[in-house]
Amino acid sequence: MAEIKVPIGVSGRHAHVSREHLNILYGEGYELTSIKELSQPGQFAAQETIDLVTEKGSFKNVRILGPVRSQSQVEIALTDAVKLGIKPPVRDSGDLKGSPGVTLVGPKGSVQLNEGVIAACRHIHMTPEDAVRMNVTDKEIVQVRCGGERGLLFDQVLVRVSPSYQLEMHIDTDEGNAAMIKTGELVNIIKK
């Protein structure tokens, strides 16, 4: 069994918005303001936030990640879902069919998403060169082991390969807390 070290990124709840929805939430022609570059090239945390609202709960000041997307979506942890009173599926980013909706509220308006809330499946971004070096392929499922005081084995980790990616595994805050792991720490891909 070969083990390969990969940096991890723990992701909190956030939203991706379309151009159309950004126009409604913040005003026609509004542009997102980057406050921090993210690990994936071209991606950034925006200064702008929105509120997420359902019939049963809400979260204020949820960070928008840029740039704008072709379709709006919200990624939350499963404990967040309890507060919102919804049951999002665990899915790869962009796979929104049949997911629950939420109302996005910005300073200039609101948007009702009929679907679009997911708990992102744990995944590893990597370049084609990384994939060759690690002997994995796009969409392959691997295991990842993290050590430490509450070390554990993550099963069902999706490999995502693209020349536009940088090597990093992404998990949500629930998973990060369970493993007592922080962004930047290294984990081991286990290739059987």
Side-chain angles (χ1 to χ4, degrees), residues 37-44 67 163-167:
E37 294 298 314
L38 300 177
S39 64
Q40 297 309 304
Q43 305 294 306
F44 61 90
S164 65
Y165 290 157
Q166 180 172 314
L167 184 62

Side-chain angles (χ1 to χ4, degrees), residues 18 22 34 38 49 55 57 65 96 104 139-140 145 162 184:
S18 68
L22 183 60
S34 174
L38 300 177
T49 62
E55 290 181 5
L65 300 186
L96 308 177
L104 311 178
K139 305 295 185 205
E140 185 173 344
R145 182 172 49 83
S162 169

Side-chain angles (χ1 to χ4, degrees), residues 20 27 42 70 86 97 100-101 107 122 142 152 162 174 183:
E20 174 191 1
S70 60
I86 58 176
K97 188 172 176 71
R122 55 184 80 109
V142 297
L152 53 77
S162 169
D174 287 351
T183 294

Side-chain angles (χ1 to χ4, degrees), residues 8-76:
I8 199 158
V10 181
S11 180
R13 74 182 76 92
H14 61 272
H16 300 281
V17 296
S18 68
R19 172 81 263 163
E20 174 191 1
H21 291 164
L22 183 60
N23 287 343
I24 295 167
L25 297 166
Y26 270 85
E28 192 67 34
Y30 190 90
E31 295 297 331
L32 294 173
T33 306
S34 174
I35 57 170
K36 178 183 174 188
E37 294 298 314
L38 300 177
S39 64
Q40 297 309 304
Q43 305 294 306
F44 61 90
Q47 175 180 308
E48 293 75 18
T49 62
I50 55 175
D51 297 342
L52 305 179
V53 180
T54 67
E55 290 181 5
K56 297 195 175 179
S58 64
F59 283 108
K60 295 205 169 291
N61 301 315
V62 174
R63 184 79 46 210
I64 296 175
L65 300 186
V68 294
R69 296 265 182 107
S70 60
Q71 185 176 13
S72 294
Q73 75 176 42
V74 174
E75 296 178 27
I76 62 175

Side-chain angles (χ1 to χ4, degrees), residues 88-99:
V90 177
R91 300 252 181 93
D92 191 16
S93 182
D95 183 2
L96 308 177
K97 188 172 176 71
S99 62

Side-chain angles (χ1 to χ4, degrees), residues 137-149:
T137 58
D138 189 45
K139 305 295 185 205
E140 185 173 344
I141 302 296
V142 297
Q143 293 179 323
V144 173
R145 182 172 49 83
C146 59
E149 189 176 344

